[in-house]
């Protein structure tokens, strides 16, 4: 087992890794920018190293600085958290070249799944169902028109190197494809330096269902059920729950086995999430995230496992501590992402926290790096906390979420907490009857009208 690991991240996810490591008796090193010198992850780690100025490109994305921090402190492994360098295959290779261990999958698996066309082709070969669409990148508008006529409208044009909703455009009819194709390519070029796009059938009322998988890197893998992440704004998740309210036990077992078998065949190591669009009883693969997800706590809650601990164990060469046979779902869990943002615009609002009080009680977990007097820097993502609740069933989890939100105090900055208070009054949310377009439509007719 490792004696010391470096956490190449910040905020609540850095704290999450530090806590797991401490329970395992492993020392931790926090890296930080000058803007984060007083951050909670820096305070809680055994050691800390400043790796650069505030902009992420000069600090948390600076590979030489992170490697140097390992050499200075004697850290043997690096946990990337999520975001930043967590899915950077080049970083993983450099880590390995310096005789360090990357706590996550191999560079090859990250590279394969990082390109959406290659990922789709790979999943098809592994027996995972995919959305009908182009076999690869679509080179020109003429090809796009012909393909769309074959697939049938509506379609969605996506950047092959895309993420976060950028480089994605929907064409409802043949009259829309020219603009959608050109705009998607232009956005992709600007955001990712790569204007290649592909085209898929656009499902009209799907849910976003993702399967949590975990592999030992030696041909064994399991699935830990699904999460429903359909409540999204601009392709960004805001509310996640497990198990999915629309998924039957039979569907869960079937698609879960398909996913576990797929990652086992490629000797995948560590945590991964295979994401699907789900409509009318059918699953369609969209992408695989080769890292820990923001919403991993809801899976931990219903299965009673520590996914970060398991990541560290597998990276150290130890076997998984659970098998498919002893992974049983217990109850229901929900997570809401709380951002420092002004409603209804969702505009980032960094600032100083004058008072912070986390809710507590049975079945309540708060993952946050906030504290009284902390100043949220303006350089990073606006996510400041994740509130996770667990109950014996969905109704009790919703009631617990309502109670916990009422206890939460975050003074000094505006947050998205009022959004969740409002959503818990909606019958569709209480019944679980929603899809990936529901929140956008609701915002247009409710929150934006005051």
């Amino acid at each position: 087992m490792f004696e010391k690991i470096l956490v190449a991240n910040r905020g609540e996810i850095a704290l999450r890794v530090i806590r797991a490591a401490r329970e395992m008796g492993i020392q931790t090193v926090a890296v930080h920018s000058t803007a984060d010198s007083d951050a909670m992850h820096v305070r809680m780690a055994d050691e800390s190293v400043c790796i650069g100025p505030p902009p992420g490109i000069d600090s948390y994305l600076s590979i030489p600085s992170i490697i140097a921090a390992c050499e200075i402190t004697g850290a043997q492994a690096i946990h990337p958290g999520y975001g930043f360098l967590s899915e950077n295959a080049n970083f993983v290779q450099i880590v390995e070249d310096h005789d360090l261990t990357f706590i996550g999958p191999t560079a090859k698996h990250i590279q394969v799944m990082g390109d959406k066309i290659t990922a789709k082709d790979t999943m098809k070969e592994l027996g995972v169902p995919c959305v009908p669409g182009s076999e690869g990148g679509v080179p020109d508008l003429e090809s796009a028109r012909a393909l769309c006529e074959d697939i049938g409208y509506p379609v969605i044009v996506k950047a092959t190197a895309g993420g976060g909703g950028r480089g994605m455009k929907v064409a409802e009819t043949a009259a829309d494809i020219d603009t959608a194709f050109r705009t998607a390519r232009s956005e992709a070029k600007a955001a990712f330096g790569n204007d290649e796009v592909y085209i898929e059938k656009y499902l009209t009322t799907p849910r976003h269902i993702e399967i949590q998988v975990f592999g030992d890197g030696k041909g064994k893998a399991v699935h830990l059920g699904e999460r429903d992440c359909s409540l999204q704004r601009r392709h960004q998740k805001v509310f996640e729950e497990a198990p999915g309210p629309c998924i039957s036990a039979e569907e869960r077992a079937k698609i879960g086995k398909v996913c576990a078998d797929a990652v086992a065949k490629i000797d995948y190591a560590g945590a991964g999430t295979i994401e699907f669009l789900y409509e009318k009883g059918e699953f369609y693969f969209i992408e695989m995230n080769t890292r820990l997800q923001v919403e991993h706590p809801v899976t931990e809650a219903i299965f009673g496992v520590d996914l970060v601990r398991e990541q560290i164990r597998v990276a150290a060469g130890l076997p998984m501590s659970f098998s498919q046979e002893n992974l049983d779902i217990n109850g229901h869990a929900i997570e809401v992402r709380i951002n420092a943002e002004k409603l209804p615009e969702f505009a980032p609002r960094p600032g100083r926290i004058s008072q912070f009080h986390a809710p507590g009680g049975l079945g309540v977990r708060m993952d946050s790096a906030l504290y009284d007097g902390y100043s949220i820097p303006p350089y990073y993502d606006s996510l400041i906390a994740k509130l996770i609740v667990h109950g014996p069933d969905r109704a009790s989890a919703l009631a617990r979420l309502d109670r916990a939100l009422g206890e939460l105090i975050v003074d000094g900055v505006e947050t998205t907490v009022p959004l969740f208070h409002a959503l818990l009054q909606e019958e569709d949310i209480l019944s679980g009857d929603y899809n990936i377009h529901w929140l956008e439509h609701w915002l247009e007719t409710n929150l934006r009208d005051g």
Side-chain angles (χ1 to χ4, degrees), residues 198-343:
Y198 65 106
I199 297 176
E200 289 180 340
K201 178 70 176 176
Y202 184 65
L203 304 177
T204 56
T205 57
R207 297 181 79 116
H208 185 130
I209 302 294
E210 58 187 33
I211 306 296
Q212 175 72 63
V213 292
F214 205 101
D216 68 355
K218 302 171 184 176
K220 292 183 179 180
V222 300
H223 74 87
L224 293 95
E226 81 284 355
R227 295 182 289 257
D228 191 319
C229 307
S230 301
L231 286 177
Q232 301 178 12
R233 174 186 172 271
R234 295 184 178 177
H235 304 286
Q236 297 294 314
K237 303 165 187 172
V238 301
F239 178 111
E240 303 103 348
E241 58 181 312
C246 69
I247 304 299
S248 69
E250 292 75 21
E251 288 175 318
R252 178 178 305 114
K254 182 179 179 180
I255 194 63
K257 185 177 188 305
V258 167
C259 293
D261 288 348
V263 297
K265 288 175 185 175
I266 61 174
D267 295 332
Y268 185 86
T273 298
I274 302 179
E275 304 201 1
F276 295 92
L277 292 179
Y278 171 86
E279 188 174 73
K280 299 176 182 177
E282 299 293 334
F283 291 88
Y284 301 100
F285 170 79
I286 48 176
E287 66 179 337
M288 180 175 182
N289 289 305
T290 51
R291 55 168 168 79
L292 198 67
Q293 293 282 87
V294 176
E295 59 271 20
H296 75 274
V298 294
T299 296
E300 293 182 326
I302 64 171
F303 283 102
V305 300
D306 184 332
L307 290 173
V308 176
R309 179 186 180 93
E310 206 66 23
Q311 284 184 300
I312 296 171
R313 283 176 51 85
V314 167
L318 298 176
M320 290 188 294
S321 61
F322 44 70
S323 62
Q324 196 67 63
E325 292 70 30
N326 56 30
L327 287 171
D328 296 317
I329 293 176
N330 174 28
H332 197 93
I334 301 171
E335 173 184 291
V336 294
R337 302 189 189 192
I338 298 170
N339 292 350
E341 294 175 348
K342 176 180 173 57
L343 299 175

Side-chain angles (χ1 to χ4, degrees), residues 383-398:
L383 178 70
I384 57 173
K386 302 183 318 196
L387 175 57
I388 306 100
V389 296
H390 179 227
D393 52 38
R394 189 171 187 270
S396 61
L398 286 166

Side-chain angles (χ1 to χ4, degrees), residues 2-272:
F2 308 116
E3 294 180 2
K4 185 184 294 187
I5 65 174
L6 180 142
V7 185
N9 218 297
R10 64 179 300 279
E12 65 85 14
I13 190 58
L15 271 181
R16 171 72 185 88
V17 177
I18 289 168
R19 286 167 173 154
R22 180 157 295 168
E23 291 179 10
M24 299 173 75
I26 301 171
Q27 291 189 313
T28 55
V29 178
V31 293
H32 65 92
S33 69
T34 53
D36 276 339
S37 58
D38 62 348
M40 187 61 76
H41 76 283
V42 176
R43 296 183 175 197
M44 291 299 177
D46 296 292
E47 301 175 59
S48 63
V49 178
C50 182
I51 55 171
I57 192 67
D58 298 320
S59 50
Y60 296 105
L61 291 169
S62 174
I63 296 175
S65 298
I66 291 171
I67 297 298
C70 284
E71 294 175 344
I72 291 168
T73 60
Q76 302 154 303
I78 298 175
H79 195 299
Y82 55 73
F84 291 125
L85 295 167
S86 62
E87 293 179 287
N88 185 311
N90 181 53
F91 175 57
V92 178
Q93 190 59 59
I94 292 172
V95 168
E96 294 173 354
D97 290 344
H98 283 79
D99 295 322
L100 299 167
T101 299
F102 180 77
I103 301 176
T106 64
K108 177 184 176 181
H109 288 149
I110 292 175
Q111 188 170 29
V112 167
M113 294 303 165
D115 181 276
K116 293 186 178 181
I117 292 176
T118 305
K120 185 176 179 180
D121 290 343
T122 301
M123 286 300 181
K124 279 184 179 179
E125 293 175 3
L126 293 171
V128 177
C130 296
V131 180
S134 59
E135 293 297 324
V138 180
D140 51 50
L141 189 52
E142 184 178 348
S143 301
R145 291 173 183 148
L147 178 67
C148 293
E149 289 299 325
D150 187 44
I151 295 173
Y153 288 93
V155 300
I156 184 166
V157 186
K158 296 182 179 181
T160 63
R166 291 172 294 181
M168 297 172 61
K169 294 297 173 184
V170 174
E172 297 284 354
T173 68
D176 305 322
I177 187 59
D178 291 25
T179 300
F181 185 80
R182 292 192 180 103
T183 304
R185 289 190 68 171
S186 176
E187 287 186 4
K189 181 67 174 179
F192 312 111
N194 178 356
D195 68 355
E196 186 178 42
V197 296
Y198 65 106
I199 297 176
E200 289 180 340
K201 178 70 176 176
Y202 184 65
L203 304 177
T204 56
T205 57
R207 297 181 79 116
H208 185 130
I209 302 294
E210 58 187 33
I211 306 296
Q212 175 72 63
V213 292
F214 205 101
D216 68 355
K218 302 171 184 176
K220 292 183 179 180
V222 300
H223 74 87
L224 293 95
E226 81 284 355
R227 295 182 289 257
D228 191 319
C229 307
S230 301
L231 286 177
Q232 301 178 12
R233 174 186 172 271
R234 295 184 178 177
H235 304 286
Q236 297 294 314
K237 303 165 187 172
V238 301
F239 178 111
E240 303 103 348
E241 58 181 312
C246 69
I247 304 299
S248 69
E250 292 75 21
E251 288 175 318
R252 178 178 305 114
K254 182 179 179 180
I255 194 63
K257 185 177 188 305
V258 167
C259 293
D261 288 348
V263 297
K265 288 175 185 175
I266 61 174
D267 295 332
Y268 185 86

